[in-house]
Amino acid sequence: MQIRGACHCGNLAFELDWPDAAAHIPARACGCMFCRKHGASWTSNPEARLRVIVQDPAQVERYNFGTRTADFHVCKRCGVPAVVTSRIDGHDYAVVNINTCEGVDPAMFDRSTSDFDGEATEDHLARRKSRWIATVTGV
């Protein structure tokens, strides 16, 4: 199944090839202050493929904080964080904000919360390598 998504103005978009066998799409509302303030919920599947499409790269900010091991790709025009990437051992991994997905029945999302405060950096990276989207282009 292909899922398309974009920030509000469309400058930062993506095409996500989701494994067809998945009956539901996990959606994790992150407990960090940045995600809570933006109302972001993230999804990933290590078997998915993600293509990020940016119309004007000068209008996309990469924001990071805390361990500085993940970049939130935020559109400067509309302020929406659509994608997060993490470069680990020379390889890009990613998650996408489900609130930016277009044309997906909300009932498909299996919503939960997550909180990784206090998790060691090595644990952050190991979790991302095992759970995040492992085929990422366009970042």
Side-chain angles (χ1 to χ4, degrees), residues 11-89:
N11 182 54
L12 176 56
F14 61 83
E15 294 173 348
L16 176 61
D17 291 323
W18 193 263
D20 289 332
H24 292 285
I25 299 170
R28 296 170 304 280
C30 180
C32 82
M33 190 59 70
F34 181 86
C35 292
R36 286 195 337 239
K37 287 190 176 218
H38 285 85
S41 289
W42 306 97
T43 194
S44 62
N45 183 315
E47 296 177 23
R49 292 186 319 262
L50 176 67
R51 179 174 169 243
V52 179
I53 306 143
V54 178
Q55 291 177 5
D56 184 357
Q59 293 300 315
V60 175
E61 181 76 30
R62 287 182 181 227
Y63 177 72
N64 60 52
F65 58 95
T67 62
R68 303 212 185 295
T69 58
D71 289 330
F72 289 76
H73 298 248
V74 182
C75 181
K76 289 181 183 180
R77 281 191 219 150
C78 66
V80 174
V83 176
V84 177
T85 59
S86 184
R87 188 152 189 86
I88 305 168
D89 299 330

Side-chain angles (χ1 to χ4, degrees), residues 26-30 40-44 95 110 112-114 116 131-132:
R28 296 170 304 280
C30 180
S41 289
W42 306 97
T43 194
S44 62
V95 293
D110 185 10
S112 65
T113 59
S114 61
F116 303 111
R131 296 184 188 169
W132 284 24

